[in-house]
Amino acid sequence: MRRTILIGIFLFFLAGGCLDGLNLFTIEDDKTLGAQVDAEIESDSADYPVLDEDDYASAYDYLNGIVDEILAVDDVQYDDEFVWQVHIINDDSVVNAFATPGGYLYFYTGLIKYLESEDSFAGVVGHEIAHADQRHVTDNLTKEYGISLLLDVVLGNRLDLVSGIALNLIDLSFSRDAEAEADEYSVIYLSGTQYACNAAADFFEKLLEEEDASSPPEFLSTHPSPENRVDDINAKADELDCDTTPSGNDYAAFQEMLP
C-alpha cells in the first residue's frame, strides 16, 4: 500500500514537473552526507590540511565558543539535531569558509587572518551555520536530482544515492538566493548574541574598501555583489532594530593561536 502511495506521489510530481519548495532528503540524510564529506576531507590532508584539535586546542575552544553562542539563540532550527562540528583548515592563501549538511563547518586560516574583529568573524560563522540550518545543500540537490531522487525513494535506493552524492559536495557553491538567505539569517542569529547583528557585512565592506570588489575571491564569483550584500544585511538589521554595536572582544588573540 505504501509503495502504491509513493508511486502515486512520484507520478504527481513527474506530471507537474515541479519540486519547488520541497526537500526530499531527510534530516538523517543531511547528517549522513555531512559525515561522508567530513571523512573525505579528513583523508585528504594535502588539499585540506586541517589543524589538529589537540595541537590547537585553544583556537578550537575559541571558535567553538562563538559557534555555541550563536546556536544558543532560538532561531537555529536544528541546534540539537545537527553535529555542529568545526574544523580549521591551515591555508593562508584561501579566504574562505564553507558548510556541509548536518552542521559541519570549515574555516580557512586565510579568512581568519583576513578579518579584523571577532564580530566580523562571528558574522561569517552565522552565515555558514545558516547554510547548514536552512538545508541549502539538500534543497539544491532536490532540484538537481528531483525526479530521479523521488524514484529512488520509491524503489528503496536512497542510501546508495546519498553515498554517491556526498563525494561531489566538497567544492560546493550556493545559489544567489541561498547566499542572500544565509546573510539574512546571520543577522537574525547575531541579533540574539553579544555581537553586532550586521557584522556579516564587514567582510564585504573590507573588500570594497580595498577595491577588491571588481575581482573578488573565486567563491564570490556567483554570489550577489558585495555592495548589494552590505545593503541587504544593513537593511535586515534596520528591520529587526537590533544592536549594531561591536563587542570589542580581543580577536588578535585568536589569530595568534594559529600557525
Side-chain angles (χ1 to χ4, degrees), residues 26-77:
T26 67
I27 297 302
E28 289 303 314
D29 288 336
D30 277 46
K31 292 159 68 174
T32 299
L33 283 166
Q36 290 175 346
V37 174
D38 188 62
E40 283 296 310
I41 289 173
E42 289 286 353
S43 68
D44 186 1
S45 59
D47 290 329
Y48 300 96
V50 175
L51 294 182
D52 184 87
E53 291 188 43
D54 292 332
D55 294 340
Y56 292 91
S58 296
Y60 276 98
D61 286 346
Y62 184 104
L63 175 51
N64 278 309
I66 296 173
V67 171
D68 289 345
E69 180 163 355
I70 295 172
L71 293 179
V73 304
D74 294 335
D75 300 287
V76 181
Q77 188 172 189

Side-chain angles (χ1 to χ4, degrees), residues 71-89:
L71 293 179
V73 304
D74 294 335
D75 300 287
V76 181
Q77 188 172 189
Y78 299 108
D79 56 329
D80 293 327
E81 289 88 345
F82 287 168
V83 298
W84 302 116
Q85 187 177 112
V86 300
H87 297 286
I88 302 171
I89 301 175

Side-chain angles (χ1 to χ4, degrees), residues 121-221:
F121 183 66
V124 174
V125 174
H127 177 96
E128 297 305 330
I129 287 175
H131 276 312
D133 195 52
Q134 298 305 308
R135 306 186 65 205
H136 288 153
V137 173
T138 46
D139 279 347
N140 287 344
L141 289 175
T142 295
K143 294 173 185 176
E144 182 175 350
Y145 290 91
I147 298 302
S148 63
L149 173 59
L150 195 54
L151 181 58
D152 276 329
V153 172
V154 173
L155 298 177
N157 299 327
R158 174 191 290 274
L159 290 179
D160 290 339
L161 180 67
V162 168
S163 296
I165 289 172
L167 302 181
N168 299 319
L169 295 184
I170 294 177
D171 295 320
L172 178 74
S173 61
F174 291 108
S175 69
R176 289 174 179 267
D177 287 345
E179 289 298 335
E181 186 172 48
D183 286 344
E184 178 178 321
Y185 270 92
S186 180
V187 179
I188 294 170
Y189 297 158
L190 264 60
S191 69
T193 70
Q194 64 177 304
Y195 303 113
C197 64
N198 64 340
D202 291 354
F203 173 72
F204 305 106
E205 289 176 334
K206 184 174 172 63
L207 282 180
L208 292 168
E209 289 171 1
E210 296 179 355
E211 297 183 353
D212 287 341
S214 60
S215 56
E218 183 178 352
F219 78 98
L220 287 174
S221 61

